[in-house]
Amino acid sequence: MVYRVTFDGIDILGQTRETVLIDPQVETELNDAGSFEFTLPPFHTFYNSPTILTSDVEVYEDGKLIWFGRPLDIGTDFYNQKKVYCEGALAYFNDSIQRPATYPQEETLLHDFFRRLIAIHNSQVPENRQFTVGEITVTDKYVWRETDYENTLDCLNRMCLDTDGGYLLLRKEEGVNYIDWVADMPDIGDQPVQFALNMLDITQKINGSDICTCVLALGGVPDGEEDRITIASVNDGSDILESSEGIALYGRVTKIMEWSNITDPTELKAKAEEWLDSEQYDHLTLEVDAAELSYIRGIYSPFEVGQMVHVTSTPHLISTPYFSIRAISLSIASSEMRNAGMT
């Protein structure tokens, strides 16, 4: 596995004393900016060159761009080593503001709203922080949206991902930043994570902090009405939807969920049922340390965030067809995948 790191197009990672990076670590995660951290020794040829926010940082794996972003924090320790922390390109959307605006449902398609947010962002930032909208595979439909002095990243999370799901994928082609909004991550990795093969460590977690067994679903405000809709009219008079299986397992835990783009009670109930039965539950999360085999055995492709991978460990009683890689912490000095969060 060959890695390359560039700052403003200049290679800063090499095999000589003057181009060594100490503990270079890439963190990638679905729908998150991720990060790249490393330490520059004082004899590094690039020691005096990094500048926060303005520089462009890129990390390549065997010629493929796997992460790009910008320096956010640079500090110097007792030994004059510079510790550089870089944030991923998704954080560029923190640099722009969405001013108050209302997007009426009768004339606003979801895809057009997404493109509008990106266009407004592009109008406020320099060219190297702008994005071209690429592929959109989430279902298009008419929606009601309202912005009110929020940064663009908050708007993308609240009014795109939280309401309609999917994943924001960033890529760069011929110097142009692209953003895709895809409904699914269909990629199935051919490299397994297997005990006695490449699994170095594993931790299993069950997280109950977000579990909800009863949901009060709130929709939008229909035309001509003053109040937001609930599911009471289609749920035997109750505005709360219950999961009998969830209550049996965890007791009654009630939370409010909002889908402001839905103004039909039946559709709202269906959405609440879908969320209550499946989307909210991540029963098992694995944190795995695994050796990257793709550079040893050419038959495997590298691990990537979003891939579905087969995880097998007989001593840990794990033999599930596929887990989705939600996050990867990669040491590019050793090709070790650390703390790969899988659900």
Side-chain angles (χ1 to χ4, degrees):
M1 194 71 64
V2 178
Y3 291 97
R4 179 187 175 208
V5 177
T6 68
F7 261 64
D8 297 325
I10 302 173
D11 287 273
I12 68 167
L13 175 63
Q15 302 298 319
T16 66
R17 179 176 182 270
E18 291 76 19
T19 57
V20 66
L21 298 182
I22 301 173
D23 195 22
Q25 187 99 353
V26 178
E27 308 277 349
T28 55
E29 184 174 351
L30 287 175
N31 292 335
D32 187 90
S35 63
F36 174 46
E37 297 181 74
F38 60 91
T39 299
L40 285 172
F43 47 78
H44 196 286
T45 56
F46 196 71
Y47 183 79
N48 293 316
S49 300
T51 55
I52 61 173
L53 296 181
T54 58
S55 290
D56 290 320
V57 188
E58 298 177 351
V59 180
Y60 295 85
E61 183 180 73
D62 287 341
K64 179 181 178 181
L65 182 67
I66 62 171
W67 185 95
F68 65 102
R70 63 187 178 186
L72 182 65
D73 183 69
I74 300 175
T76 305
D77 65 13
F78 181 79
Y79 301 98
N80 286 326
Q81 298 180 130
K82 283 188 177 178
K83 297 183 180 296
V84 183
Y85 176 87
C86 307
E87 61 179 359
L90 190 62
Y92 298 170
F93 290 108
N94 284 319
D95 297 349
S96 59
I97 296 295
Q98 301 290 327
R99 292 180 172 81
T102 299
Y103 300 84
Q105 183 169 1
E106 62 273 11
E107 57 186 59
T108 304
L109 285 167
L110 181 61
H111 290 190
D112 291 339
F113 174 73
F114 178 76
R115 292 188 179 95
R116 179 60 179 163
L117 292 182
I118 305 304
I120 292 174
H121 163 80
N122 289 342
S123 70
Q124 300 176 38
V125 298
E127 185 176 357
N128 63 339
R129 301 295 182 249
Q130 297 175 13
F131 287 86
T132 296
V133 177
E135 184 179 16
I136 305 178
T137 64
V138 295
T139 302
D140 200 12
K141 57 187 176 183
Y142 284 97
V143 295
W144 176 87
R145 293 289 187 269
E146 187 173 48
T147 58
D148 186 16
Y149 289 120
E150 299 170 87
N151 69 49
T152 301
L153 184 57
D154 287 342
C155 285
L156 290 171
N157 283 321
R158 184 173 67 87
M159 289 181 281
C160 293
L161 298 181
D162 290 350
T163 57
D164 293 274
Y167 307 97
L168 297 179
L169 304 181
L170 307 185
R171 53 191 169 92
K172 182 178 288 191
E173 296 180 5
E174 298 181 354
V176 178
N177 300 331
Y178 288 88
I179 180 169
D180 303 320
W181 185 15
V182 299
D184 301 296
M185 299 287 292
D187 186 22
I188 297 179
D190 56 16
Q191 180 178 182
V193 175
Q194 185 175 324
F195 183 80
L197 176 65
N198 61 341
M199 182 182 291
L200 305 176
D201 193 13
I202 186 170
T203 302
Q204 304 179 53
K205 294 182 179 181
I206 297 178
N207 187 352
S209 62
D210 294 326
I211 285 180
C212 166
T213 60
C214 304
V215 59
L216 195 162
L218 291 177
V221 180
D223 292 338
E225 302 287 340
E226 295 182 357
D227 299 323
R228 302 175 66 172
I229 67 162
T230 69
I231 65 171
S233 62
V234 293
N235 192 49
D236 297 326
S238 174
D239 59 1
I240 293 179
L241 187 68
E242 300 181 355
S243 167
S244 56
E245 292 183 358
I247 293 173
L249 285 172
Y250 307 111
R252 296 183 62 87
V253 182
T254 305
K255 294 185 179 180
I256 296 174
M257 284 297 297
E258 302 182 29
W259 290 278
S260 299
N261 60 308
I262 299 177
T263 56
D264 178 73
T266 301
E267 182 183 354
L268 180 63
K269 183 179 180 181
K271 184 66 176 179
E273 288 174 337
E274 177 187 1
W275 182 84
L276 193 61
D277 291 341
S278 60
E279 290 185 22
Q280 67 149 327
Y281 292 109
D282 288 329
H283 288 297
L284 180 61
T285 298
L286 302 181
E287 289 189 0
V288 176
D289 289 4
E292 174 67 76
L293 298 179
S294 62
Y295 77 105
I296 300 175
R297 305 181 182 184
I299 60 174
Y300 295 131
S301 60
F303 291 117
E304 294 182 10
V305 166
Q307 277 183 343
M308 302 292 290
V309 297
H310 185 45
V311 182
T312 305
S313 178
T314 302
H316 301 96
L317 303 178
I318 296 175
S319 183
T320 303
Y322 289 101
F323 280 87
S324 173
I325 300 180
R326 310 288 299 186
I328 289 179
S329 177
L330 175 66
S331 172
I332 68 175
S334 62
S335 294
E336 179 183 329
M337 183 180 73
R338 304 173 183 170
N339 296 327
M342 302 180 181
T343 56

